Amino acid sequence: MKHFLSVNDIESLPDWVDEAITLKQNPYQFEDLGKHKTLCLLFFNNSLRTRLSTQKAAMQLGMEVMIMNFGSESWVLEYQDGSVMDQGTSEHIKEAAQVVSQYCDIVAIRAFPDLKDREKDEAEEVLTGFAKYASVPVVNMESSTGHPLQALADAITLAEHSIKPRPKVVLSWAPHPKALPHAVANSFTQMMKLQDAEFIITHPKGYELNPKITQGCQIEYNQEKALKDADFVYVKNWSSYTNYGKVLNQDLNWTMTQQKLGQAKFMHCLPVRRNIVVEDAVLDGNNSLVINQAHNRTFSAQIVLKKILEAL
Ligand code: CP
């Protein structure tokens, strides 16, 4: 594997999940693999989990880690070919990606969408720009349209907590005051399509995700109906895809409550707005897996870095 850009770069989801669960028993088993190798983490946006878990994963593989808040600390990058750079951009992605490649063996990038221009966001100019011009492998730490490290951590969490061979998993939209990206919901959906599970997506009308991603998935606009007999409920807000980037609905009737959750396990990628997305009783209850998911971020990143290091 050269780059890890999307869920499609997971060569075998069950094998990677099994390997991650084994690795958890002995996280330093491959501590020589990354010796004298450097990972560069470039953040164009904020992070808590991704930054710390990816750094920890690299350290457990014996790697050195360099971190840069690229969005605020570096030059403003230009992405257009042939552009006359007489405006706000100072350095072209062509040089920047090649320069970063001189200092590390793997580069990982977080770059969120603007949620203003769908075509531009779907072009993923930061991630694909680095993948095109860097001479080292590129890892997606959440881009405009995907968060595959989160989806892999979620797959590990599902595997660890499933008590039946074909669980019912519901992805439920929730209200949020701000317009949020589709990346987590997209990657979770792509990952669920690789699982043997009954998978249902529920959201208000107008919040349909990219139909290319949800193709073949069951969509139910009635949240109560969707949640019936669920084993796992993954809650996430996203903005409208068709009315791109807009907040169409803030109906708190979609907030996840203990009553709606019933006996199901609760999942969320975090950060989460309490008592808007989900009520306290759920997050603080015994059926919440959110800290397990956050813990598994280390092992999803470690599996990905291990696969890349093995292929270097
Ligand atoms: N879930 C997740 O990616 O968390 P951060 O945004 O804090 O990295």
Side-chain angles (χ1 to χ4, degrees):
M1 180 175 65
K2 171 107 200 253
H3 304 305
F4 182 75
L5 304 180
S6 81
V7 167
N8 297 331
D9 292 318
I10 299 173
E11 283 147 8
S12 162
L13 183 63
D15 289 351
W16 285 29
V17 166
D18 284 350
E19 204 174 328
I21 292 171
T22 305
L23 196 58
K24 275 178 91 167
Q25 310 307 315
N26 185 4
Y28 290 94
Q29 192 183 349
F30 301 99
E31 63 185 330
D32 291 333
L33 189 63
K35 195 174 173 194
H36 298 160
K37 299 277 191 253
T38 301
L39 172 68
C40 249
L41 305 180
L42 306 184
F43 286 91
F44 290 76
N45 304 94
N46 295 348
S47 169
L48 190 165
R49 282 143 288 274
T50 304
R51 179 170 171 154
L52 296 180
S53 63
T54 311
Q55 185 171 6
K56 180 152 173 77
M59 287 158 56
Q60 288 178 170
L61 289 166
M63 299 184 82
E64 303 287 342
V65 184
M66 298 196 295
I67 303 175
M68 188 166 181
N69 290 318
F70 216 83
S72 58
E73 293 171 350
S74 188
W75 304 111
V76 177
L77 295 187
E78 175 63 48
Y79 298 94
Q80 295 299 314
D81 263 347
S83 57
V84 177
M85 291 170 55
D86 59 357
Q87 297 295 314
T89 56
S90 303
E91 178 158 25
H92 204 280
I93 181 71
K94 287 184 185 182
E95 285 80 54
Q98 290 179 76
V99 168
V100 168
S101 306
Q102 307 309 305
Y103 310 135
C104 61
D105 301 279
I106 302 173
V107 60
I109 293 156
R110 165 164 283 200
F112 291 171
D114 290 337
L115 293 176
K116 289 180 188 135
D117 179 340
R118 190 164 91 182
E119 204 176 319
K120 182 170 175 285
D121 287 345
E122 290 188 335
E124 298 272 21
E125 60 184 11
V126 182
L127 189 71
T128 56
F130 272 94
K132 186 171 177 186
Y133 296 114
S135 55
V136 297
V138 175
V139 173
N140 181 353
M141 294 195 295
E142 189 173 345
S143 65
S144 296
T145 63
H147 197 356
L149 287 175
Q150 180 67 53
L152 183 54
D154 297 336
I156 298 165
T157 311
L158 284 170
E160 288 176 324
H161 292 88
S162 285
I163 50 169
K164 54 169 86 156
R166 195 169 185 275
K168 178 173 174 181
V169 180
V170 180
L171 170 61
S172 181
W173 179 91
H176 196 284
K178 286 176 64 182
L180 295 190
H182 310 94
V184 169
N186 285 346
S187 290
F188 186 75
T189 300
Q190 288 173 316
M191 180 277 289
M192 284 309 304
K193 286 166 82 169
L194 303 174
Q195 298 270 10
D196 187 14
E198 181 187 352
F199 178 54
I200 301 179
I201 306 172
T202 184
H203 53 70
K205 288 204 168 139
Y207 278 93
E208 293 77 11
L209 292 162
N210 182 345
K212 285 187 195 147
I213 289 174
T214 57
Q215 192 177 21
C217 294
Q218 193 180 333
I219 294 165
E220 170 57 64
Y221 295 109
N222 181 329
Q223 190 193 37
E224 189 185 341
K225 214 165 144 188
L227 292 174
K228 192 171 182 306
D229 299 327
D231 297 297
F232 296 91
V233 178
Y234 198 107
V235 175
K236 183 73 185 83
N237 169 269
W238 59 87
S239 54
S240 177
Y241 179 74
T242 40
N243 200 343
Y244 191 67
K246 296 284 183 297
V247 175
L248 307 178
N249 187 331
Q250 296 198 41
D251 183 358
L252 293 179
N253 285 319
W254 281 83
T255 300
M256 189 51 55
T257 64
Q258 188 57 58
Q259 193 190 2
K260 286 194 228 174
L261 188 69
Q263 295 307 307
K265 303 276 187 200
F266 173 78
M267 299 179 74
H268 189 284
C269 62
L270 303 181
V272 69
R273 296 216 181 196
R274 281 176 173 255
N275 302 309
I276 298 286
V277 171
V278 54
E279 69 175 12
D280 284 340
V282 174
L283 274 175
D284 298 334
N286 291 336
N287 278 359
S288 173
L289 298 180
V290 297
I291 304 304
N292 308 69
Q293 289 172 265
H295 183 52
N296 282 332
R297 289 295 307 274
T298 300
F299 301 98
S300 72
Q302 200 166 334
I303 286 295
V304 168
L305 294 173
K306 176 176 175 283
K307 300 283 177 196
I308 293 174
L309 287 169
E310 285 169 343
L312 280 180

mmCIF file of all heavy atoms in Angstrom, residues 258-287:
data_model
loop_
_atom_site.group_PDB
_atom_site.id
_atom_site.type_symbol
_atom_site.label_atom_id
_atom_site.label_comp_id
_atom_site.label_asym_id
_atom_site.label_seq_id
_atom_site.Cartn_x
_atom_site.Cartn_y
_atom_site.Cartn_z
ATOM 1 N N GLN A 258 -31.645 8.346 26.063
ATOM 2 C CA GLN A 258 -31.555 6.988 26.622
ATOM 3 C C GLN A 258 -32.794 6.181 26.258
ATOM 4 O O GLN A 258 -32.701 4.994 25.933
ATOM 5 C CB GLN A 258 -31.381 7.076 28.141
ATOM 6 C CG GLN A 258 -31.087 5.746 28.809
ATOM 7 C CD GLN A 258 -29.853 5.063 28.248
ATOM 8 O OE1 GLN A 258 -28.769 5.625 28.277
ATOM 9 N NE2 GLN A 258 -30.012 3.851 27.715
ATOM 10 N N GLN A 259 -33.929 6.855 26.270
ATOM 11 C CA GLN A 259 -35.180 6.152 25.944
ATOM 12 C C GLN A 259 -35.153 5.614 24.507
ATOM 13 O O GLN A 259 -35.531 4.478 24.254
ATOM 14 C CB GLN A 259 -36.358 7.109 26.144
ATOM 15 C CG GLN A 259 -37.684 6.380 26.128
ATOM 16 C CD GLN A 259 -38.861 7.339 26.086
ATOM 17 O OE1 GLN A 259 -38.693 8.559 26.037
ATOM 18 N NE2 GLN A 259 -40.047 6.780 26.106
ATOM 19 N N LYS A 260 -34.669 6.439 23.589
ATOM 20 C CA LYS A 260 -34.619 5.986 22.183
ATOM 21 C C LYS A 260 -33.575 4.908 21.991
ATOM 22 O O LYS A 260 -33.756 3.994 21.189
ATOM 23 C CB LYS A 260 -34.237 7.173 21.274
ATOM 24 C CG LYS A 260 -35.333 8.177 21.059
ATOM 25 C CD LYS A 260 -34.915 9.061 19.893
ATOM 26 C CE LYS A 260 -35.087 10.497 20.188
ATOM 27 N NZ LYS A 260 -34.558 11.358 19.129
ATOM 28 N N LEU A 261 -32.461 5.029 22.712
ATOM 29 C CA LEU A 261 -31.344 4.091 22.527
ATOM 30 C C LEU A 261 -31.706 2.698 23.021
ATOM 31 O O LEU A 261 -31.269 1.691 22.427
ATOM 32 C CB LEU A 261 -30.112 4.619 23.287
ATOM 33 C CG LEU A 261 -28.800 3.878 23.057
ATOM 34 C CD1 LEU A 261 -28.288 4.106 21.642
ATOM 35 C CD2 LEU A 261 -27.748 4.335 24.070
ATOM 36 N N GLY A 262 -32.489 2.636 24.091
ATOM 37 C CA GLY A 262 -32.856 1.334 24.669
ATOM 38 C C GLY A 262 -31.610 0.587 25.107
ATOM 39 O O GLY A 262 -30.746 1.132 25.794
ATOM 40 N N GLN A 263 -31.476 -0.660 24.664
ATOM 41 C CA GLN A 263 -30.337 -1.508 25.066
ATOM 42 C C GLN A 263 -29.159 -1.400 24.091
ATOM 43 O O GLN A 263 -28.140 -2.078 24.271
ATOM 44 C CB GLN A 263 -30.782 -2.975 25.145
ATOM 45 C CG GLN A 263 -31.818 -3.237 26.227
ATOM 46 C CD GLN A 263 -31.383 -2.723 27.582
ATOM 47 O OE1 GLN A 263 -30.295 -3.046 28.071
ATOM 48 N NE2 GLN A 263 -32.197 -1.872 28.211
ATOM 49 N N ALA A 264 -29.309 -0.592 23.051
ATOM 50 C CA ALA A 264 -28.248 -0.511 22.031
ATOM 51 C C ALA A 264 -26.997 0.148 22.588
ATOM 52 O O ALA A 264 -27.049 0.922 23.545
ATOM 53 C CB ALA A 264 -28.762 0.269 20.824
ATOM 54 N N LYS A 265 -25.866 -0.166 21.971
ATOM 55 C CA LYS A 265 -24.603 0.504 22.305
ATOM 56 C C LYS A 265 -24.553 1.822 21.533
ATOM 57 O O LYS A 265 -24.946 1.874 20.358
ATOM 58 C CB LYS A 265 -23.401 -0.358 21.885
ATOM 59 C CG LYS A 265 -23.407 -1.751 22.497
ATOM 60 C CD LYS A 265 -22.822 -1.740 23.870
ATOM 61 C CE LYS A 265 -22.664 -3.151 24.403
ATOM 62 N NZ LYS A 265 -22.553 -3.176 25.866
ATOM 63 N N PHE A 266 -24.017 2.835 22.196
ATOM 64 C CA PHE A 266 -23.959 4.169 21.584
ATOM 65 C C PHE A 266 -22.554 4.462 21.063
ATOM 66 O O PHE A 266 -21.568 4.253 21.771
ATOM 67 C CB PHE A 266 -24.346 5.236 22.620
ATOM 68 C CG PHE A 266 -24.150 6.634 22.119
ATOM 69 C CD1 PHE A 266 -25.065 7.207 21.264
ATOM 70 C CD2 PHE A 266 -23.021 7.365 22.482
ATOM 71 C CE1 PHE A 266 -24.872 8.503 20.778
ATOM 72 C CE2 PHE A 266 -22.830 8.655 22.010
ATOM 73 C CZ PHE A 266 -23.753 9.218 21.152
ATOM 74 N N MET A 267 -22.479 4.964 19.839
ATOM 75 C CA MET A 267 -21.181 5.320 19.254
ATOM 76 C C MET A 267 -21.214 6.752 18.713
ATOM 77 O O MET A 267 -22.221 7.221 18.195
ATOM 78 C CB MET A 267 -20.807 4.342 18.123
ATOM 79 C CG MET A 267 -20.665 2.903 18.595
ATOM 80 S SD MET A 267 -20.261 1.750 17.258
ATOM 81 C CE MET A 267 -18.540 2.126 16.953
ATOM 82 N N HIS A 268 -20.088 7.427 18.851
ATOM 83 C CA HIS A 268 -19.895 8.763 18.262
ATOM 84 C C HIS A 268 -18.389 8.979 18.156
ATOM 85 O O HIS A 268 -17.630 8.579 19.042
ATOM 86 C CB HIS A 268 -20.531 9.849 19.139
ATOM 87 C CG HIS A 268 -20.560 11.190 18.478
ATOM 88 N ND1 HIS A 268 -19.429 11.977 18.362
ATOM 89 C CD2 HIS A 268 -21.567 11.866 17.881
ATOM 90 C CE1 HIS A 268 -19.754 13.094 17.717
ATOM 91 N NE2 HIS A 268 -21.045 13.055 17.410
ATOM 92 N N CYS A 269 -17.960 9.644 17.099
ATOM 93 C CA CYS A 269 -16.517 9.810 16.877
ATOM 94 C C CYS A 269 -15.883 10.810 17.833
ATOM 95 O O CYS A 269 -14.660 10.797 18.017
ATOM 96 C CB CYS A 269 -16.275 10.237 15.432
ATOM 97 S SG CYS A 269 -17.045 11.821 15.040
ATOM 98 N N LEU A 270 -16.690 11.716 18.435
ATOM 99 C CA LEU A 270 -16.212 12.831 19.268
ATOM 100 C C LEU A 270 -15.391 13.809 18.407
ATOM 101 O O LEU A 270 -14.759 13.365 17.461
ATOM 102 C CB LEU A 270 -15.399 12.352 20.464
ATOM 103 C CG LEU A 270 -16.064 11.380 21.436
ATOM 104 C CD1 LEU A 270 -15.093 11.038 22.580
ATOM 105 C CD2 LEU A 270 -17.376 11.936 21.989
ATOM 106 N N PRO A 271 -15.367 15.117 18.720
ATOM 107 C CA PRO A 271 -16.037 15.742 19.852
ATOM 108 C C PRO A 271 -17.551 15.785 19.652
ATOM 109 O O PRO A 271 -18.017 15.787 18.517
ATOM 110 C CB PRO A 271 -15.456 17.156 19.867
ATOM 111 C CG PRO A 271 -15.120 17.446 18.447
ATOM 112 C CD PRO A 271 -14.665 16.134 17.873
ATOM 113 N N VAL A 272 -18.271 15.841 20.783
ATOM 114 C CA VAL A 272 -19.734 15.835 20.688
ATOM 115 C C VAL A 272 -20.319 16.934 21.575
ATOM 116 O O VAL A 272 -19.785 17.230 22.643
ATOM 117 C CB VAL A 272 -20.297 14.446 21.090
ATOM 118 C CG1 VAL A 272 -20.124 14.157 22.573
ATOM 119 C CG2 VAL A 272 -21.749 14.294 20.681
ATOM 120 N N ARG A 273 -21.377 17.546 21.095
ATOM 121 C CA ARG A 273 -22.079 18.581 21.870
ATOM 122 C C ARG A 273 -23.146 17.898 22.722
ATOM 123 O O ARG A 273 -24.135 17.367 22.181
ATOM 124 C CB ARG A 273 -22.709 19.601 20.940
ATOM 125 C CG ARG A 273 -21.682 20.350 20.146
ATOM 126 C CD ARG A 273 -22.085 21.770 19.958
ATOM 127 N NE ARG A 273 -21.078 22.456 19.160
ATOM 128 C CZ ARG A 273 -20.983 23.767 19.084
ATOM 129 N NH1 ARG A 273 -21.817 24.525 19.758
ATOM 130 N NH2 ARG A 273 -20.065 24.332 18.341
ATOM 131 N N ARG A 274 -22.915 17.932 24.039
ATOM 132 C CA ARG A 274 -23.845 17.305 24.973
ATOM 133 C C ARG A 274 -25.196 17.997 24.955
ATOM 134 O O ARG A 274 -25.297 19.215 24.857
ATOM 135 C CB ARG A 274 -23.267 17.349 26.391
ATOM 136 C CG ARG A 274 -22.210 16.266 26.640
ATOM 137 C CD ARG A 274 -21.584 16.396 28.008
ATOM 138 N NE ARG A 274 -20.714 15.254 28.274
ATOM 139 C CZ ARG A 274 -21.033 14.251 29.093
ATOM 140 N NH1 ARG A 274 -22.193 14.278 29.736
ATOM 141 N NH2 ARG A 274 -20.197 13.246 29.269
ATOM 142 N N ASN A 275 -26.241 17.189 25.046
ATOM 143 C CA ASN A 275 -27.632 17.644 25.140
ATOM 144 C C ASN A 275 -28.093 18.417 23.907
ATOM 145 O O ASN A 275 -29.089 19.135 23.956
ATOM 146 C CB ASN A 275 -27.852 18.434 26.442
ATOM 147 C CG ASN A 275 -27.487 17.568 27.640
ATOM 148 O OD1 ASN A 275 -27.954 16.429 27.743
ATOM 149 N ND2 ASN A 275 -26.608 18.055 28.493
ATOM 150 N N ILE A 276 -27.337 18.268 22.819
ATOM 151 C CA ILE A 276 -27.782 18.734 21.502
ATOM 152 C C ILE A 276 -27.774 17.503 20.588
ATOM 153 O O ILE A 276 -28.803 17.116 20.040
ATOM 154 C CB ILE A 276 -26.845 19.820 20.916
ATOM 155 C CG1 ILE A 276 -26.831 21.060 21.800
ATOM 156 C CG2 ILE A 276 -27.253 20.160 19.472
ATOM 157 C CD1 ILE A 276 -28.081 21.905 21.723
ATOM 158 N N VAL A 277 -26.599 16.899 20.474
ATOM 159 C CA VAL A 277 -26.452 15.676 19.666
ATOM 160 C C VAL A 277 -26.970 14.475 20.455
ATOM 161 O O VAL A 277 -27.675 13.612 19.926
ATOM 162 C CB VAL A 277 -24.969 15.471 19.277
ATOM 163 C CG1 VAL A 277 -24.751 14.114 18.627
ATOM 164 C CG2 VAL A 277 -24.509 16.598 18.351
ATOM 165 N N VAL A 278 -26.608 14.428 21.735
ATOM 166 C CA VAL A 278 -26.933 13.278 22.583
ATOM 167 C C VAL A 278 -27.075 13.756 24.021
ATOM 168 O O VAL A 278 -26.327 14.629 24.463
ATOM 169 C CB VAL A 278 -25.837 12.198 22.452
ATOM 170 C CG1 VAL A 278 -24.453 12.733 22.718
ATOM 171 C CG2 VAL A 278 -26.109 10.999 23.358
ATOM 172 N N GLU A 279 -28.017 13.163 24.738
ATOM 173 C CA GLU A 279 -28.207 13.611 26.121
ATOM 174 C C GLU A 279 -27.157 12.991 27.044
ATOM 175 O O GLU A 279 -26.588 11.926 26.763
ATOM 176 C CB GLU A 279 -29.629 13.327 26.603
ATOM 177 C CG GLU A 279 -29.962 11.875 26.789
ATOM 178 C CD GLU A 279 -31.358 11.657 27.386
ATOM 179 O OE1 GLU A 279 -32.153 12.618 27.454
ATOM 180 O OE2 GLU A 279 -31.634 10.508 27.778
ATOM 181 N N ASP A 280 -26.912 13.684 28.161
ATOM 182 C CA ASP A 280 -25.902 13.254 29.140
ATOM 183 C C ASP A 280 -26.053 11.792 29.534
ATOM 184 O O ASP A 280 -25.060 11.067 29.637
ATOM 185 C CB ASP A 280 -26.034 14.099 30.426
ATOM 186 C CG ASP A 280 -25.458 15.501 30.270
ATOM 187 O OD1 ASP A 280 -24.637 15.712 29.359
ATOM 188 O OD2 ASP A 280 -25.843 16.386 31.056
ATOM 189 N N ALA A 281 -27.281 11.386 29.780
ATOM 190 C CA ALA A 281 -27.515 10.023 30.297
ATOM 191 C C ALA A 281 -26.936 8.967 29.367
ATOM 192 O O ALA A 281 -26.461 7.921 29.823
ATOM 193 C CB ALA A 281 -29.009 9.802 30.490
ATOM 194 N N VAL A 282 -26.943 9.226 28.065
ATOM 195 C CA VAL A 282 -26.398 8.251 27.099
ATOM 196 C C VAL A 282 -24.875 8.257 27.170
ATOM 197 O O VAL A 282 -24.235 7.204 27.309
ATOM 198 C CB VAL A 282 -26.877 8.578 25.666
ATOM 199 C CG1 VAL A 282 -26.191 7.670 24.650
ATOM 200 C CG2 VAL A 282 -28.387 8.463 25.565
ATOM 201 N N LEU A 283 -24.300 9.452 27.086
ATOM 202 C CA LEU A 283 -22.822 9.542 27.100
ATOM 203 C C LEU A 283 -22.233 9.013 28.401
ATOM 204 O O LEU A 283 -21.157 8.411 28.401
ATOM 205 C CB LEU A 283 -22.387 11.000 26.917
ATOM 206 C CG LEU A 283 -22.254 11.502 25.496
ATOM 207 C CD1 LEU A 283 -21.945 12.984 25.514
ATOM 208 C CD2 LEU A 283 -21.164 10.758 24.734
ATOM 209 N N ASP A 284 -22.930 9.249 29.496
ATOM 210 C CA ASP A 284 -22.426 8.832 30.812
ATOM 211 C C ASP A 284 -22.873 7.422 31.177
ATOM 212 O O ASP A 284 -22.491 6.906 32.225
ATOM 213 C CB ASP A 284 -22.906 9.820 31.888
ATOM 214 C CG ASP A 284 -22.366 11.229 31.635
ATOM 215 O OD1 ASP A 284 -21.302 11.346 31.004
ATOM 216 O OD2 ASP A 284 -23.026 12.200 32.054
ATOM 217 N N GLY A 285 -23.666 6.821 30.315
ATOM 218 C CA GLY A 285 -24.217 5.497 30.630
ATOM 219 C C GLY A 285 -23.262 4.365 30.275
ATOM 220 O O GLY A 285 -22.254 4.553 29.588
ATOM 221 N N ASN A 286 -23.625 3.168 30.714
ATOM 222 C CA ASN A 286 -22.773 1.986 30.517
ATOM 223 C C ASN A 286 -22.707 1.537 29.064
ATOM 224 O O ASN A 286 -21.814 0.780 28.701
ATOM 225 C CB ASN A 286 -23.299 0.816 31.364
ATOM 226 C CG ASN A 286 -23.085 1.082 32.835
ATOM 227 O OD1 ASN A 286 -22.189 1.857 33.202
ATOM 228 N ND2 ASN A 286 -23.913 0.495 33.679
ATOM 229 N N ASN A 287 -23.666 1.961 28.245
ATOM 230 C CA ASN A 287 -23.690 1.500 26.856
ATOM 231 C C ASN A 287 -22.968 2.439 25.895
ATOM 232 O O ASN A 287 -23.011 2.244 24.685
ATOM 233 C CB ASN A 287 -25.132 1.294 26.383
ATOM 234 C CG ASN A 287 -25.651 -0.052 26.848
ATOM 235 O OD1 ASN A 287 -24.937 -0.813 27.494
ATOM 236 N ND2 ASN A 287 -26.897 -0.349 26.519
#
